[in-house]
C-alpha cells in the first residue's frame, strides 16, 4: 500500500459518505442546520468523490476540522446518491416494494388493505438517526429487512394480528432506530435482520412465494374467524329477540290475570 501525504486527494469510500451523512442527521436533529440545508448537503455528500469534496459539508459544524471518517482504500467506486421516494406507500388489493439505495424520510406512511408491502433497508439511507414507519394494515402484511446494528421497535395497536421483530437489537441506544407505529387489523408485520447478499435471487423468489402463500392462508383463517364472529353475533341477536319475546309474553299473561 502506497503512503499518502495529501489526505484531501484520497477517494472517499461508501462508509465515509455514510458517516458524514450520520453527522448531518445529528446536526439536523440538534437544530444546527435546517431541513433545506440538510437536503442540500446530503446531495453533496453522495456526489462527493474525495475528502476535499466532503470537507466543506461539515466545516461549519462543531468539532469538525475536516471530514471525520477514517481513510479507507478498500472501496473506491462512487456510490450513487440515494433515490428520493414518496413518503406514502399504498397497497390496496395489490403489492408494493422498495429496495436498493433509497432515502428513508423521517416519517413513512404505509397503507395496506388486502395487500402487502416489502421494505428492504439494507442499502437504504436513513434521513435521521430515528425514523418512523406508520402502518395502517387491514387484512394485509408487511415484510421489512434490516441490516445488523439497527434497532426496530413496535408501538402501535394490534387486533386479530401480530408482529414478529428480531430479538437481537443492538445494546447501543445511539444505534439507528426504525420505530413502527400504527394499527394492525387482521394482518401482520414480519421484520428480519440480514446482511446484504445473504440470499440468492432464487432464494428471494422462493421466500416471496412462501410469504404470499402464508398471506393467502392467513387471509383464509381471518375470513373463517370473521364468518364465525358474524355467526356468533347473529346467534346473540336471535337469543336477544327470543328473550324479549318471552318478556312480552310474560307481561301480557300478567295483565290478563289482573
Amino acid at each position: 500500500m502506497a503512503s499518502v501525504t495529501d489526505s484531501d486527494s484520497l477517494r472517499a469510500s461508501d462508509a465515509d459518505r455514510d458517516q458524514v451523512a450520520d453527522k448531518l442527521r445529528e446536526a439536523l436533529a440538534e437544530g444546527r442546520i435546517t431541513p433545506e440545508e440538510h437536503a442540500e448537503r446530503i446531495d453533496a455528500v453522495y456526489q462527493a468523490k474525495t475528502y476535499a469534496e466532503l470537507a466543506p459539508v461539515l466545516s461549519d459544524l462543531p468539532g469538525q476540522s475536516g471530514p471525520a471518517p477514517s481513510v479507507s482504500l478498500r472501496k473506491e467506486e462512487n456510490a450513487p446518491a440515494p433515490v428520493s421516494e414518496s413518503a406514502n406507500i399504498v397497497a390496496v388489493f395489490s403489492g408494493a416494494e422498495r429496495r436498493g439505495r433509497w432515502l428513508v424520510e423521517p416519517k413513512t406512511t404505509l397503507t395496506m388493505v388486502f395487500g402487502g408491502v416489502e421494505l428492504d433497508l439494507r442499502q437504504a439511507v436513513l434521513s435521521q438517526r430515528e425514523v418512523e414507519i406508520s402502518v395502517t394494515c387491514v387484512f394485509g402484511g408487511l415484510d421489512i429487512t434490516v441490516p445488523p446494528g439497527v434497532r426496530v421497535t413496535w408501538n402501535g395497536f394490534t387486533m386479530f394480528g401480530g408482529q414478529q421483530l428480531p430479538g437481537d437489537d443492538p445494546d447501543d441506544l445511539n444505534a439507528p432506530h426504525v420505530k413502527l407505529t400504527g394499527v394492525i387489523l387482521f394482518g401482520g408485520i414480519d421484520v428480519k435482520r440480514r446482511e446484504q447478499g445473504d440470499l440468492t435471487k432464487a432464494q428471494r423468489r422462493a421466500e416471496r412465494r412462501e410469504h404470499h402463500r402464508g398471506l393467502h392462508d392467513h387471509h383464509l383463517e381471518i375470513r373463517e374467524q370473521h364468518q364465525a364472529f358474524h355467526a356468533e353475533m347473529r346467534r346473540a341477536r336471535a337469543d336477544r329477540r327470543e328473550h324479549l319475546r318471552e318478556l312480552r309474553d310474560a307481561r301480557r299473561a300478567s295483565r290478563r290475570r289482573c
Side-chain angles (χ1 to χ4, degrees):
M1 182 182 296
S3 61
V4 178
T5 57
D6 185 3
S7 62
D8 286 347
S9 64
L10 288 174
R11 301 277 293 193
S13 70
D14 292 346
D16 295 330
R17 283 181 277 268
D18 288 342
Q19 289 182 46
V20 174
D22 286 341
K23 292 185 179 296
L24 288 177
R25 286 192 286 272
E26 292 175 2
L28 175 64
E30 294 169 354
R32 299 186 188 278
I33 58 177
T34 66
E36 292 75 15
E37 290 172 327
H38 174 263
E40 182 179 346
R41 295 190 190 200
I42 282 290
D43 289 341
V45 165
Y46 287 103
Q47 292 172 7
K49 296 180 180 179
T50 66
Y51 282 165
E53 294 172 327
L54 284 176
V57 177
L58 299 176
S59 61
D60 60 346
L61 298 179
Q64 302 298 331
S65 58
S70 59
V71 176
S72 171
L73 300 179
R74 291 185 180 180
K75 295 188 293 181
E76 296 190 357
E77 63 270 18
N78 185 26
V83 178
S84 180
E85 302 275 7
S86 170
N88 298 306
I89 302 176
V90 179
V92 179
F93 291 96
S94 63
E97 66 175 25
R98 192 163 289 181
R99 60 182 63 249
R101 196 170 178 82
W102 58 285
L103 182 65
V104 184
E105 299 293 344
K107 182 173 183 178
T108 302
T109 302
L110 307 182
T111 303
M112 292 157 288
V113 180
F114 290 96
V117 173
E118 296 183 26
L119 299 181
D120 191 337
L121 303 181
R122 288 175 292 178
Q123 290 182 292
V125 177
L126 304 186
S127 57
Q128 58 189 36
R129 187 169 297 279
E130 179 180 281
V131 297
E132 178 183 353
I133 298 179
S134 178
V135 178
T136 300
C137 180
V138 181
F139 290 95
L142 170 62
D143 278 352
I144 302 178
T145 305
V146 299
V150 175
R151 295 175 59 230
V152 183
T153 60
W154 164 254
N155 183 20
F157 174 77
T158 303
M159 176 179 288
F160 296 108
Q163 61 281 333
Q164 183 173 351
L165 307 182
D168 57 345
D169 273 354
D171 296 329
D172 183 9
L173 295 180
N174 292 320
H177 180 200
V178 176
K179 181 171 66 173
L180 302 174
T181 63
V183 178
I184 301 175
L185 300 175
F186 300 98
I189 298 177
D190 187 11
V191 181
K192 296 183 179 66
R193 192 186 310 282
R194 288 201 181 105
E195 292 277 5
Q196 179 66 24
D198 272 1
L199 298 178
T200 65
K201 290 183 178 180
Q203 288 172 322
R204 284 196 293 270
R205 285 196 296 269
E207 188 178 76
R208 284 198 195 98
R209 284 196 298 270
E210 186 63 28
H211 170 68
H212 290 305
R213 188 178 299 115
L215 280 180
H216 176 71
D217 294 341
H218 181 66
H219 287 162
L220 289 179
E221 180 183 350
I222 294 301
R223 185 181 302 169
E224 291 174 358
Q225 293 176 355
H226 192 64
Q227 291 172 345
F229 174 76
H230 279 283
E232 183 63 30
M233 292 296 294
R234 285 194 294 271
R235 284 194 295 269
R237 286 195 295 267
D239 291 343
R240 184 170 179 272
R241 285 195 296 269
E242 182 62 26
H243 178 65
L244 292 175
R245 187 179 301 111
E246 291 175 354
L247 289 177
R248 286 195 299 271
D249 292 343
R251 285 196 297 267
R252 288 170 184 167
S254 176
R255 284 197 295 268
R256 283 197 296 269
R257 286 196 298 270
C258 294

